[in-house]
Amino acid sequence: MSTQSTAPPSLDSRIKPTSTTLPSPATDGRINDFLIKIDNYRWLLFSALILLYLTGYTTNWLPGPDSSQHLIYADHLYNNIPHPYSNEIFSPLSPGLAFLINLNKLLFQSSFIATSLFSMLLVAFATLYVSYHFFKIIANRNVAVLLTLMLGCCETFYRYTFQLLPDLPFFFGLITTLYAFECIRIHNRPLPYNLSLLILGLAAMALFKSIAIVVIVALCLSFVFSAIKSKHYRQLFIFIAISFIAFMSLRFIIGGPTTLHTLHIDERIMLDRLTILLPQTLYNALTNNLPRLLTESLTEAVFALDFGTLISPLFSIPILIYLIFLTRIRVFWGILTALFITQWLAVIVADRYILTIIPLIIIAWYLAPIWYEKHVSRKLGTITFTFAIFIFFTPNIVFDIRQIIQNHTTNTIQDYKDGKYTNEYHLSNWLTANTPENAIIIAPYHTFLLIGYLSNRSTYFSLNNLPQTTQPIYFIGSPTEQMLDTLQNQQASLSQSQVFPNSLHNSNLYLVIREPNRQ
């Protein structure tokens, strides 16, 4: 008797497979046999995946500048204190993570860090659940099991599950949007339900990161492309009107009332980089961000490894080519990927930003061997599939286990207290005891937000554009001639205020003195 898949037909079987489903492997091939086997053990594999995440959970907060920034924002919202950082210093934060932290603070008081981290674990489980249904609706259950396991084992996704950062909740909103988009296309549920799901995904993204605008633009462009192709101009006009209202509402949520008639800071920065700063943007993209994407960030995000300058492009370039070919399956996916890559090249590249399109990368990585099996030879398809699965799962699982060990053997805050890394913890305590509550501290770039959170002081990293305030301003460091010139241009000067104990810092603490007679 021949072995047949017990998987039920995909929802996409109700419509033309060529327009909605991913290409399937040959039914009598080894790839399909492998997919059937993992589907038969799907509950065991999913249980192991859940155990992997529960084992990795830790109540220890990993200090970092971005995480500290959101904790500071949450504290200010919780205590109804105006957030001190103006839009001219750095981009404003979306409030979603601060709301989540404050909800935990309201419910669990002093244990809010541990419970906030547990909330992130729940977000990861919800993301994997929605991802499974997204994969199942575009392919079949066999494929969905494999792709969900790939996403769950991906070290980048796993690592950010245990950090207080907005990337994972944003990812939940994005995968929900992708799933809702597919539901709307095949009409598998009533339209109001699918639209509600789409709104939920978009709202979740907007609450946690301002780059939700990128996804909305991709949705609009894909609809415009589809409407023009099918000559549905009336629907196109209605959609453009609705999209404009939604776009302006989103800008209002992210940036406040002023964004209704002025550019949001992120929009202004991007506009400048694409207009007056275009030559500099192109130079930086070609000489810095593109090489980093090809030789470092992409392989680290997907395989948890930096294969080196020579080897990494052998993986990165095929991934980018596979992503381009996804446009043939879904125009929305192609546009979304193109917009995100353009943003990375124009601004900055990092593995945490690549997390946003990891599901599409996984789909593209899976489809390559299927294409070889169908168009070249089954033997080559089986070989490339085996290699693709091995090279993906092996380093990711190894680094997942490494992350578990780090989570349970490292207490970073305690290490800061013990002076293992740097002395920011004791320095922050000293600042709390020796500076006024309303003091503004100018601290080194890589530590100013951590110092701000630990010392409960407003901190900045630059002497440029000092706030026009009567609050005392202190500077940590060794002043250079350039700094003194900057202060002179701002009608201010330095006056040595305190000398740190040698165990805390090698520099002095200076008070910035305004010179009102020169204003």
Side-chain angles (χ1 to χ4, degrees), residues 200-439:
L200 170 65
L202 294 173
M205 287 189 293
L207 274 173
F208 286 93
K209 296 185 78 172
S210 60
I211 59 170
I213 295 293
V214 174
V215 184
I216 291 181
V217 172
L219 271 173
C220 293
L221 291 177
S222 63
F223 184 86
V224 168
F225 177 84
S226 176
I228 293 175
K229 186 177 180 180
S230 58
K231 299 182 179 180
H232 292 160
Y233 300 114
R234 180 172 176 271
Q235 290 89 331
L236 176 60
F237 175 78
I238 295 173
F239 182 80
I240 290 175
I242 295 175
S243 299
F244 177 77
I245 295 173
F247 177 75
M248 296 303 293
S249 300
L250 184 59
R251 294 175 81 251
F252 176 81
I253 293 172
I254 295 173
T258 57
T259 56
L260 294 178
H261 55 82
T262 59
L263 287 177
H264 187 267
I265 183 170
D266 292 338
E267 297 166 347
R268 188 166 65 247
I269 292 173
M270 184 58 67
L271 180 62
D272 289 344
R273 294 191 178 191
L274 295 178
T275 53
I276 59 177
L277 298 177
L278 182 59
Q280 180 181 338
T281 300
L282 292 175
Y283 178 80
N284 186 57
L286 294 175
T287 61
N288 186 16
N289 289 337
L290 181 59
R292 182 181 298 176
L293 178 67
L294 295 178
T295 63
E296 179 183 340
S297 298
L298 192 54
T299 55
E300 285 184 352
V302 179
F303 307 108
L305 284 175
D306 177 3
F307 295 107
T309 305
L310 297 179
I311 304 298
S312 290
L314 299 179
F315 292 91
S316 301
I317 293 175
I319 288 175
L320 294 177
I321 293 174
Y322 299 155
L323 285 172
I324 292 173
F325 279 107
L326 283 184
T327 307
R328 299 179 61 183
I329 299 175
R330 202 73 80 242
V331 173
F332 174 42
W333 299 353
I335 295 175
L336 183 64
T337 301
L339 290 178
F340 271 125
I341 292 177
T342 300
Q343 182 197 33
W344 302 336
L345 295 179
V347 184
I348 190 172
V349 176
D351 63 345
R352 60 182 288 196
Y353 304 134
I354 296 173
L355 176 64
T356 54
I357 62 167
I358 284 291
L360 300 181
I361 293 176
I362 288 173
I363 292 172
W365 191 246
Y366 157 78
L367 285 179
I370 305 302
W371 187 89
Y372 291 130
E373 183 193 50
K374 285 194 170 187
H375 298 280
V376 183
S377 73
R378 290 194 179 184
K379 183 177 181 180
L380 179 61
T382 301
I383 292 173
T384 54
F385 181 80
T386 304
F387 174 77
I389 293 301
F390 175 81
I391 199 65
F392 184 89
F393 277 105
T394 303
N396 275 300
I397 291 176
V398 168
F399 277 88
D400 288 345
I401 295 173
R402 178 188 177 191
Q403 186 67 47
I404 292 173
I405 296 172
Q406 288 181 348
N407 286 353
H408 293 287
T409 59
T410 304
N411 187 329
T412 313
I413 282 293
Q414 186 61 47
D415 288 340
Y416 270 110
K417 292 180 180 180
D418 296 340
K420 181 177 180 179
Y421 301 118
T422 51
N423 47 31
E424 275 72 23
Y425 189 89
H426 293 293
L427 174 61
S428 300
N429 287 340
W430 190 92
L431 290 171
T432 302
N434 292 275
T435 60
E437 290 186 4
N438 65 340

Side-chain angles (χ1 to χ4, degrees), residues 21-55:
T21 58
L22 298 181
S24 301
T27 56
D28 57 346
R30 292 186 178 182
I31 297 177
N32 193 59
D33 291 342
F34 174 80
L35 294 174
I36 292 172
K37 288 179 181 179
I38 65 169
D39 180 58
N40 290 336
Y41 292 98
R42 64 186 181 278
W43 294 116
L44 178 62
L45 293 170
F46 285 156
S47 297
L49 189 64
I50 292 172
L51 182 62
L52 179 71
Y53 277 77
L54 291 176
T55 306

Side-chain angles (χ1 to χ4, degrees), residues 449-489:
L449 286 168
L450 179 60
I451 290 174
Y453 175 67
L454 295 175
S455 66
N456 197 27
R457 298 290 185 267
S458 298
T459 52
Y460 293 84
F461 66 87
S462 174
L463 285 168
N464 294 318
N465 301 318
L466 289 175
Q468 296 298 321
T469 176
T470 57
Q471 297 170 245
I473 301 175
Y474 295 87
F475 166 73
I476 300 173
S478 300
T480 63
E481 290 296 329
Q482 184 179 1
M483 292 178 184
L484 296 176
D485 291 341
T486 299
L487 286 171
Q488 187 175 10
N489 293 335

